[in-house]
Amino acid sequence: MNQPSADARPGHFLRHLIEHDLAAGTYAQRRFAGTPGDAAHQAAGPLDAARIRTRFPPEPNGYLHIGHAKSICLNFGLARDYGGVCHLRFDDTNPEKEEQEYVDAIVDTVRWLGFDWQQNDPAAPGGQRSHLYYASDYFDFMYRAAEALVNAGHAYVDEQTAEQMRAHRGDFQHAGVDSPYRNRTPAENLARLRQMRNGELPDGAAVLRAKIDMASANINLRDPALYRIKRATHHHTGDRWCIYPMYTYAHPIEDALENITHSICTLEFEDQRPFYDWLLDTLCTLGLLAQPRPQQIEFARLNLTYIVTSKRRLRQLVEEGHVNGWDDPRMPTLAGLRRRGYTPESIRLLAERSGVSKAGGWIDYSALDIALRDDLDAKAPRACVVLDPLRLKLTNFAEVLGSNGHREPCHAPVHPGHAERGQREFALTQEVWIEREDFMEAPSKGFFRLSPPRADAATGAPLPGTRARLKYGYVIECTGCEKDAAGHVTAVLATLVPDTKSGTPGADAVKVKGVITWVSVADGIPAEVRLYDRLFTEPQPDAGGREFLSVLNPHSSRSVTAWAEPGLATAQKEEKYQFERHGYFVADRVDHLPTSRLVFNRTTTLRDTWSK
């Protein structure tokens, strides 16, 4: 993946901070803070004073969504630009919701976006070192750290109920109330913690809490929970543990053990930063971790309209059958966007265009489509496909074309801006498919396609049928139509205008305003085309506490049987095209089978039509 250098990229506060730290040598004297030989020691690897370390730490409890893309691009991109490394780390501290399926999907998605966690290994010239980790790799260290906090009087085991703890926590107007267990001795707390660890207490009977300040203005510092009892099989550690660390306790420790320099996260974690700092400073004081420790920096997340990114809501959409799985092309998951046809380049472009700042805001969904068009316009091969087919009969076909009366060779560029990519070859035949909207019996003002002879509405004078060009073919003149017993138009009748074939000297002899795409009835191939649109009808589906399911778009998906030019028969899965006149489409990565079952998904139209 070719990328401009750091100097060529737009500046923002994170770049300025990193450049300041590199110039000041902030992390030049880093030293490892774990026990040689343990999992954390293996994670850190050889250090280089000139480099930074970032991380992307998803929880494997669902598929990644478009909001994650900005964090992925930022963390991996900054590490790349400044000669560092970005770790992919699974924050797998909640076994009840985490599955290997999600781990595999996240690995696949990050690679698809164009990023990797491999690094040249200084200890093995020419070799590669993987920086893919799991929070569960560090459970032993986290537990040792918990015992150290207890022994130093910085943590205690609380046996209040969850309801009591919530009630005693206080709010922004009222200080919290100390737990009745808060003043146990370190020895008592250590014994109780070990009972938790050994499975001697039932789920929910106790939690380990930090002892900080129940009167703090920052509610996150009012003795936050560090460990809870949870008997659940973990996808990575099995049944070895029956207590699991809280995310807010585990995450800073993981950062420190991996020698992360800049822990870059979104603004919702800003209020958690004081606890992040307290925990790492305390563990450094106790000698378990080393300075300089990581620093947490927050930026505004990517908020895109017409989607939801809450994993709870995404899971609800899947489990209740409102969509067809996590990779449904209407979903804002990266797997869904990939199946819909969005490219990694377009998503990276959206992330870059959205900027990096502390100020939040909303970006209209159309920005993603613009990025897609900007990426594919110069790359996607063209093709003709008729989505709503109506038969067109050329009644003088044999008469005009003589000995070529059955097939007239035509050609079109694979890409109009790249002649070197060659030509598409297909034939004009006596009957072709055109779009139903290209025919109108009583045309409205400004309609320049096909309509039959009729009387002038004002004068009654006879008017001839309209003329239009079959793209890459001939000018034709509409002479009438055929209807069924119910009065529905079943075919349009027209005649070829001689000597008007595209690319010949006579092509400009007859001027017409309308141009029609078409596919030969004899050579066209049927294809299932899935026409996707936005999943919700409102820009912010869950705004103001609204039930987000109430604004599902009933027209977000429909499937049509279309007719495609013959060259699309060999289209491979995930190949992308511009269907002339209609937009950008992709061969479905799941259901499409070349030559036997053609399935194309619409990614976006050629221009924004949503507002209309």
Side-chain angles (χ1 to χ4, degrees):
M1 179 178 66
N2 294 324
Q3 296 286 346
S5 67
D7 291 341
R9 290 171 175 270
H12 51 70
F13 78 97
L14 288 174
R15 289 190 179 278
H16 299 327
L17 176 61
I18 289 171
E19 289 164 5
H20 174 271
D21 288 342
L22 290 173
T26 303
Y27 295 95
Q29 301 302 319
R30 283 180 298 168
R31 60 187 177 85
F32 177 66
T35 303
D38 69 10
H41 187 273
Q42 296 299 318
L47 298 181
D48 181 341
R51 293 169 14 144
I52 68 164
R53 285 176 185 259
T54 60
R55 83 292 169 273
F56 174 62
E59 183 180 355
N61 62 352
Y63 281 55
L64 299 180
H65 54 67
I66 186 65
H68 290 115
K70 184 169 182 177
S71 184
I72 294 170
C73 294
L74 196 56
N75 279 285
F76 280 93
L78 287 171
R80 174 201 61 216
D81 292 347
Y82 292 100
V85 63
C86 181
H87 295 188
L88 175 61
R89 180 210 305 144
F90 291 99
D91 264 315
D92 53 349
T93 58
N94 188 359
E96 288 182 326
K97 296 183 178 180
E98 296 162 356
E99 298 178 19
Q100 187 63 39
E101 173 192 351
Y102 302 138
V103 172
D104 296 339
I106 290 169
V107 166
D108 184 56
T109 295
V110 175
R111 283 196 171 124
W112 172 74
L113 264 182
F115 299 104
D116 202 356
W117 42 91
Q118 300 291 328
Q119 171 198 1
N120 292 332
D121 189 350
Q128 290 281 302
R129 176 184 178 82
S130 172
H131 288 284
L132 187 151
Y133 306 112
Y134 296 84
S136 52
D137 290 338
Y138 315 131
F139 280 177
D140 286 324
F141 182 93
M142 290 176 191
Y143 181 75
R144 292 201 304 272
E147 287 204 352
L149 290 171
V150 168
N151 280 325
H154 296 307
Y156 63 98
V157 174
D158 194 350
E159 298 180 51
Q160 296 181 97
T161 65
E163 292 75 17
Q164 288 171 327
M165 282 188 278
R166 274 195 293 269
H168 292 164
R169 194 182 188 197
D171 53 33
F172 291 112
Q173 286 75 41
H174 304 92
V177 177
D178 285 357
S179 165
Y181 302 95
R182 196 172 193 267
N183 294 320
R184 277 175 166 169
T185 67
E188 291 174 312
N189 282 310
L190 183 60
R192 208 62 170 154
L193 174 61
R194 289 176 176 172
Q195 286 181 306
M196 291 172 59
R197 166 69 180 84
N198 295 335
E200 297 173 25
L201 301 179
D203 288 13
V207 296
L208 180 68
R209 297 177 69 179
K211 185 188 288 188
I212 306 178
D213 182 3
M214 288 300 293
S216 174
N218 185 334
I219 294 179
N220 295 291
L221 293 179
R222 294 182 185 178
D223 293 6
L226 308 181
Y227 267 93
R228 77 282 205 199
I229 305 170
K230 188 183 291 288
R231 287 172 173 80
T233 300
H234 191 281
H235 73 97
H236 197 54
T237 61
D239 295 318
R240 184 182 170 204
W241 295 89
C242 64
I243 61 171
Y244 289 95
M246 305 299 290
Y247 172 85
T248 51
Y249 171 73
H251 185 78
I253 292 177
E254 296 154 24
D255 283 350
L257 292 178
E258 294 178 13
N259 281 297
I260 299 303
T261 59
H262 301 83
S263 184
I264 301 168
C265 55
T266 47
L267 282 175
E268 61 263 35
F269 294 99
E270 188 171 29
D271 289 342
Q272 291 286 353
R273 179 161 25 103
F275 175 68
Y276 183 100
D277 294 342
W278 176 89
L279 178 61
L280 294 186
D281 287 341
T282 302
L283 294 178
C284 285
T285 300
L286 295 176
L288 275 77
L289 297 176
Q291 297 283 7
R293 60 168 178 77
Q295 54 180 314
Q296 177 178 304
I297 315 108
E298 306 85 19
F299 70 97
R301 64 183 294 174
L302 174 63
N303 292 312
L304 206 62
T305 58
Y306 294 99
I307 66 169
V308 293
T309 54
S310 158
K311 283 188 179 178
R312 179 176 62 82
R313 288 181 171 84
L314 294 177
R315 186 186 296 273
Q316 184 178 351
L317 287 170
V318 173
E319 293 180 349
E320 293 182 1
H322 302 290
V323 294
N324 299 315
W326 288 94
D327 68 342
D328 186 301
R330 296 167 294 172
M331 286 281 274
T333 58
L334 293 174
L337 293 172
R338 176 181 181 178
R339 189 171 177 186
R340 173 92 166 250
Y342 290 97
T343 62
E345 294 85 353
S346 66
I347 293 173
R348 295 199 302 265
L349 185 58
L350 174 69
E352 183 173 331
R353 288 175 174 175
S354 67
V356 180
S357 71
K358 288 279 192 178
W362 289 87
I363 297 175
D364 192 81
Y365 190 93
S366 62
L368 176 58
D369 286 338
I370 291 170
L372 187 280
R373 295 184 194 109
D374 288 347
D375 177 45
L376 284 186
D377 180 61
K379 299 191 303 190
R382 277 35 174 182
C384 286
V385 176
V386 176
L387 301 181
D388 186 11
L390 176 62
R391 191 179 295 261
L392 170 67
K393 297 180 179 180
L394 301 171
T395 56
N396 67 338
F397 190 87
E399 176 186 343
V400 170
L401 297 179
S403 60
N404 293 330
H406 296 292
R407 303 177 63 82
E408 176 69 10
C410 296
H411 60 82
V414 172
H415 191 289
H418 297 281
E420 72 279 2
R421 295 178 65 175
Q423 298 284 312
R424 298 140 47 201
E425 306 291 340
F426 45 87
L428 177 65
T429 55
Q430 186 168 359
E431 295 188 2
V432 300
W433 297 113
I434 63 171
E435 295 290 348
R436 188 169 296 274
E437 67 179 13
D438 287 342
F439 174 76
M440 189 177 291
E441 283 191 272
S444 58
K445 184 178 180 180
F447 182 78
F448 299 117
R449 282 159 281 173
L450 299 178
S451 58
R454 63 198 184 283
D456 184 276
T459 66
L463 296 174
T466 56
R467 289 182 170 186
R469 176 174 292 281
L470 293 177
K471 196 170 187 180
Y472 311 119
Y474 286 78
V475 173
I476 61 173
E477 181 176 316
C478 184
T479 59
C481 63
E482 296 176 351
K483 298 182 179 181
D484 61 17
H488 300 131
V489 175
T490 58
V492 177
L493 305 177
T495 57
L496 287 173
V497 178
D499 301 321
T500 58
K501 185 178 180 181
S502 297
T504 67
D508 296 328
V510 178
K511 302 294 184 181
V512 294
K513 292 184 177 180
V515 178
I516 296 173
T517 52
W518 56 275
V519 171
S520 165
V521 170
D523 297 338
I525 50 177
E528 178 185 353
V529 177
R530 297 167 179 173
L531 302 174
Y532 293 110
D533 212 330
R534 301 182 190 187
L535 186 57
F536 297 97
T537 59
E538 293 295 325
Q540 298 177 35
D542 50 4
R546 172 173 53 205
E547 170 50 51
F548 77 108
L549 294 177
S550 69
V551 292
L552 279 171
N553 179 8
H555 308 297
S556 63
S557 174
R558 68 186 177 96
S559 179
V560 299
T561 298
W563 288 94
E565 67 175 70
L568 285 180
T570 57
Q572 301 299 305
K573 291 184 176 184
E574 296 200 86
E575 284 190 346
K576 298 165 181 65
Y577 296 86
Q578 184 192 107
F579 288 178
E580 298 193 35
R581 172 178 173 175
H582 294 301
Y584 292 97
F585 292 73
V586 65
D588 188 79
R589 68 187 302 247
V590 176
D591 296 329
H592 178 86
L593 296 173
T595 72
S596 60
R597 184 189 179 194
L598 307 187
V599 181
F600 295 94
N601 302 329
R602 182 174 68 188
T603 312
T604 188
T605 52
L606 290 177
R607 58 188 61 85
D608 183 21
T609 58
W610 178 259
S611 59
K612 298 179 182 180

